[in-house]
Amino acid sequence: MDQNIQNFVRHSVLSFIGSTEVSPDSYVLHQELLNFMVVAMSTQLLSGPSPGPRDANPFIDAAMAQEKSLVCMAVRRLLLNYISRHLTPPNAKTYLYSDGDAPGILERVGSAAATFVLLPLNYLVNNSGDRSKYPLAECSLHVLLILTNYQKSILSDESMTDKSDDSATSKSVSEVHVFSSGNTFTKALANARDVEFDRADVEGNAYPGPHVRIPFASLFDTLCMCLADEGAVLLLYSLLQGNSYFKEYVLVRTDMDTMLMPILETLYNASRRTSSNQIYMMLIVLLILSQDSSFNSSIHKLILPSVPWYKDHLLHQTSLGSLMVIILIRTVQHNLSKLRDVYLQTTCLATLANMAPHSHHLSSYASQRLVSLFYMLSRKYNKLSDLTGDKLQSIKIRLSGEDDSVSEDLAAELQIFTDFLRLVLDILNAILTYALPRNPEIVYAIMHRQEVFQPFKNHPRFHELVENIYTVLDFFNSRMDSQRSNREWSVQKVLQFIIDNCRSWRGEGMKMFTQLHFSYEQESHPEEFFIPYVWQLAFSRCGFSFNTDAINLFPVPHQVEEQMEDGAGEEGKEKKVQELIEQRIVFDP
């Protein structure tokens, strides 16, 4: 197809979407143009998970080439469509595809025109799937996510001369794939501003050229209302990761529970059909938020009267911060027993480490869970430690020929649990060092289970951190022993004793360690994870039926079943997710 035609079509579609308000009269046209955009951009489904320089995506490339002003108008309209959540007008009808006995437009204009319009998308079949209550909002979100996560791979030929013989014959020995960074839709979303406030007016650092202005309050409310949907979580992540204006807006909100409660509830129910990608994205959102000290402080000041969806324990008058600690620890414990996902573990523990110095009146249940987490990890560590000793020799004998691999796997797993155990000790230390007077419940929990720390008191990897814990234990135990003979101790009396003695705590004898701070960073090619993920969401909700045999971007359901029959199973799927994940957690010293 001629490049001018592609640009003309894409320019016309974006111009209408960006400049025309959605009304009962224009609703159907808006909807069908968005459907057309999904179809036109679905050439990406033909490509593999890693974008290549020979991938042909003519319509989406044409969208990237549009001027900034048009891109900003289109991004603004897509966001407003998502915020407004227009209901389908009663008289609206889907005209593009067949509906019952009524022929669709493509059938009426003939197969030749249909082939031209859909070229090279001839694997499109018909309209099917579940109907959304807000199809315009959902389709707008999918189009926005597809556009903002697109990256074009460019083939760069770097010829090197091989003169290994006298004839000095030269040949090209390398080809380098370079990913373009010029996604104007990503930049437009990253520079979107609140209609109520423009930071450039205050700081004087105006973003050159046009930019998107939307009501952040309405966007925040809509996202919070829809966080059970993976698309909403992905948009929230994109805004928090890429748009500093929106992130600042979120962090100054006083109703943080509006956003956090749906996330925490989904993580609590993660074992019930929640996708691994959705769990990852929610945990990354929490990690990004925990990088801000004001967030970590404010969540402990917001008290929840009850948490009806939490069934493991009665939570009454619990702070939002305590609930977040409980859910993160529960996620770690569930993962240890079921998923065994190192990335998930690290993300949860990194978030807890960021929160630790700012803990304030951590609840008794959250404190008990934290100490129990240490005990759970210590048991696993001790078992692995034993296996790497004498028991490993007997395993090697039984598994002759596999000695090295077994040894290496056990050593690697032991190192992982060593790091996890040390990180939990760092979390406990941060609370005791920086926030002990404000957290008597954590002192009670440590005193109640102090025997679990004894095996690590002289351990070369942990003794410095455990030494601080015993400094606290010695302080309170000695004062309790002096009063033990003339009074009977109950839970409430011990807790009150700790509260009273916290006032005289000065931290004498405590070793000061560098305060941990973890931050989230994307790897250099995040599109290898996000492009397949976004298209999986669009594919499952768009209502179109595609020829699944032609899809190479991600495994579709029947392909997954075939893989499972071939022995891949769930472990294969999880491994594939891990291969595609392109995030990392960075420790800031």
Side-chain angles (χ1 to χ4, degrees):
M1 184 181 291
D2 187 81
Q3 184 68 28
N4 291 330
I5 296 177
Q6 298 166 25
N7 285 327
F8 173 76
V9 172
R10 181 59 77 198
H11 184 277
S12 301
V13 171
L14 291 176
S15 294
F16 178 86
I17 290 173
S19 61
T20 307
E21 296 287 336
V22 177
S23 67
D25 293 332
S26 66
Y27 179 95
V28 171
L29 185 52
H30 270 279
Q31 179 68 62
E32 297 304 349
L33 286 175
L34 289 172
N35 288 341
F36 168 76
M37 288 188 69
V38 172
V39 171
M41 295 187 294
S42 64
T43 48
Q44 284 189 294
L45 294 174
L46 299 174
S47 307
S50 298
R54 294 180 178 83
D55 294 344
N57 300 296
F59 281 96
I60 195 167
D61 286 339
M64 297 297 127
Q66 303 304 314
E67 59 270 20
K68 287 183 179 179
S69 58
L70 179 57
V71 169
C72 288
M73 288 171 58
V75 170
R76 176 180 175 274
R77 175 58 54 199
L78 293 172
L79 287 170
L80 290 177
N81 287 349
Y82 182 67
I83 292 169
S84 301
R85 308 188 73 72
H86 300 282
L87 290 169
T88 305
N91 59 343
K93 184 178 181 182
T94 303
Y95 292 99
L96 185 55
Y97 303 101
S98 299
D99 184 10
D101 297 329
I105 283 179
L106 293 184
E107 292 177 282
R108 292 197 293 267
V109 299
S111 60
T115 301
F116 175 77
V117 171
L118 295 179
L119 190 69
L121 304 163
N122 56 355
Y123 48 85
L124 184 68
V125 181
N126 64 346
N127 192 1
S128 65
D130 297 331
R131 292 287 185 178
S132 169
K133 187 178 180 181
Y134 306 103
L136 186 67
E138 192 169 87
C139 194
S140 296
L141 176 60
H142 293 155
V143 169
L144 180 63
L145 291 175
I146 291 168
L147 288 168
T148 54
N149 284 283
Y150 178 71
Q151 287 293 334
K152 182 175 178 60
S153 178
I154 301 173
L155 181 63
S156 175
D157 293 323
E158 293 187 359
S159 298
M160 298 177 64
T161 302
D162 183 2
K163 299 182 178 180
S164 58
D165 55 25
D166 295 336
S167 63
T169 303
S170 66
K171 62 179 180 178
S172 177
V173 297
S174 69
E175 289 184 336
V176 181
H177 294 180
V178 180
F179 288 84
S180 170
S181 59
N183 189 321
T184 53
F185 288 86
T186 303
K187 293 176 181 177
L189 185 65
N191 288 283
R193 318 288 181 86
D194 189 2
V195 293
E196 301 297 330
F197 177 72
D198 192 340
R199 190 172 68 180
D201 296 338
V202 178
E203 298 182 354
N205 298 320
Y207 173 68
H211 56 263
V212 178
R213 295 180 67 90
I214 53 172
F216 277 2
S218 299
L219 178 57
F220 178 86
D221 292 341
T222 302
L223 285 170
C224 294
M225 181 175 59
C226 301
L227 283 175
D229 173 61
E230 291 187 67
V233 177
L234 193 49
L235 179 58
L236 176 61
Y237 160 81
S238 300
L239 289 166
L240 291 176
Q241 168 66 12
N243 190 310
S244 59
Y245 304 101
F246 185 77
K247 182 179 177 181
E248 288 179 11
Y249 172 82
V250 169
L251 290 172
V252 299
R253 294 276 302 210
T254 57
D255 59 343
M256 197 62 71
D257 57 315
T258 308
M259 180 178 64
L260 291 183
M261 289 298 280
I263 293 177
L264 297 177
E265 183 177 2
T266 301
L267 291 175
Y268 176 76
N269 294 313
S271 59
R272 306 176 189 173
R273 302 182 304 277
T274 305
S275 77
S276 56
N277 286 345
Q278 186 176 9
I279 296 172
Y280 289 132
M281 299 314 302
M282 286 184 164
L283 291 175
I284 291 170
V285 165
L286 296 181
L287 176 60
I288 292 172
L289 293 172
S290 73
Q291 294 169 200
D292 184 82
S293 57
S294 64
F295 167 83
N296 293 324
S297 298
S298 63
I299 57 175
H300 287 284
K301 298 173 183 175
L302 205 160
I303 305 300
L304 307 169
S306 64
V307 186
W309 47 262
Y310 192 90
K311 307 298 184 183
D312 299 2
H313 185 85
L314 179 62
L315 300 179
H316 180 67
Q317 295 296 317
T318 300
S319 70
L320 182 59
S322 292
L323 178 61
M324 188 166 161
V325 169
I326 292 167
I327 295 299
L328 287 171
I329 291 172
R330 188 179 185 276
T331 303
V332 171
Q333 292 175 328
H334 173 74
N335 182 62
L336 280 172
S337 61
K338 299 289 179 64
L339 303 177
R340 301 171 64 82
D341 186 329
V342 174
Y343 178 78
L344 187 149
Q345 300 284 73
T346 306
T347 307
C348 291
L349 293 176
T351 305
L352 288 169
N354 287 345
M355 295 170 61
H358 310 279
S359 298
H360 188 87
H361 290 299
L362 206 60
S363 72
S364 60
Y365 185 61
S367 301
Q368 293 165 21
R369 292 290 85 205
L370 191 53
V371 175
S372 295
L373 176 61
F374 174 82
Y375 178 61
M376 184 178 185
L377 289 170
S378 68
R379 290 182 60 191
K380 182 67 175 176
Y381 172 85
N382 288 331
K383 288 180 181 178
L384 288 169
S385 221
D386 290 342
L387 280 174
T388 56
D390 296 335
K391 294 182 181 179
L392 180 59
Q393 300 305 318
S394 62
I395 292 177
K396 284 185 175 182
I397 293 172
R398 292 198 305 270
L399 300 176
S400 58
E402 300 180 13
D403 309 3
D404 293 339
S405 61
V406 171
S407 177
E408 289 173 4
D409 289 347
L410 282 173
E413 192 169 4
L414 178 62
Q415 183 59 51
I416 289 170
F417 277 88
T418 301
D419 294 339
F420 287 164
L421 200 57
R422 185 173 178 87
L423 191 47
V424 174
L425 285 173
D426 277 319
I427 292 167
L428 290 169
N429 260 271
I431 298 173
L432 297 177
T433 303
Y434 299 102
L436 185 147
R438 304 192 302 270
N439 293 281
E441 292 286 3
I442 196 70
V443 176
Y444 180 90
I446 290 173
M447 291 181 69
H448 182 65
R449 299 288 303 277
Q450 54 189 287
E451 73 281 354
V452 304
F453 301 99
Q454 181 64 39
F456 301 93
K457 194 172 184 180
N458 298 314
H459 195 289
R461 293 294 306 272
F462 309 115
H463 72 91
E464 287 185 334
L465 293 167
V466 176
E467 191 175 315
N468 271 355
I469 292 175
Y470 272 92
T471 299
V472 173
L473 287 171
D474 292 343
F475 177 86
F476 287 94
N477 283 337
S478 61
R479 282 158 177 74
M480 182 172 286
D481 289 341
S482 65
Q483 301 182 30
R484 193 181 297 274
S485 58
N486 55 9
R487 63 187 299 182
E488 294 181 359
W489 295 98
S490 64
V491 172
Q492 290 302 320
K493 286 181 179 179
V494 172
L495 186 59
Q496 187 58 50
F497 169 83
I498 293 172
I499 293 171
D500 293 340
N501 281 271
C502 277
R503 297 166 186 161
S504 58
W505 168 258
R506 297 293 180 267
E508 296 176 0
M510 295 285 284
K511 291 184 178 180
M512 299 298 291
F513 296 96
T514 302
Q515 186 170 317
L516 295 182
H517 187 269
F518 293 88
S519 60
Y520 167 77
E521 286 186 7
Q522 279 188 345
E523 287 286 0
S524 56
H525 298 305
E527 66 280 348
E528 293 182 8
F529 168 74
F530 286 105
I531 290 177
Y533 183 27
V534 167
W535 271 107
Q536 284 180 15
L537 299 181
F539 175 80
S540 64
R541 298 294 299 170
C542 68
F544 309 145
S545 293
F546 292 89
N547 176 7
T548 54
D549 292 331
I551 296 176
N552 299 311
L553 186 61
F554 54 85
V556 292
H558 80 87
Q559 294 172 346
V560 172
E561 291 173 6
E562 290 174 1
Q563 289 174 4
M564 292 177 69
E565 290 174 1
D566 293 338
E570 286 298 319
E571 291 184 5
K573 291 169 64 182
E574 291 299 327
K575 182 179 179 182
K576 184 63 178 176
V577 169
Q578 284 301 304
E579 289 173 352
L580 294 178
I581 278 283
E582 286 292 332
Q583 287 84 244
R584 65 178 174 187
I585 299 166
V586 179
F587 171 59
D588 298 332

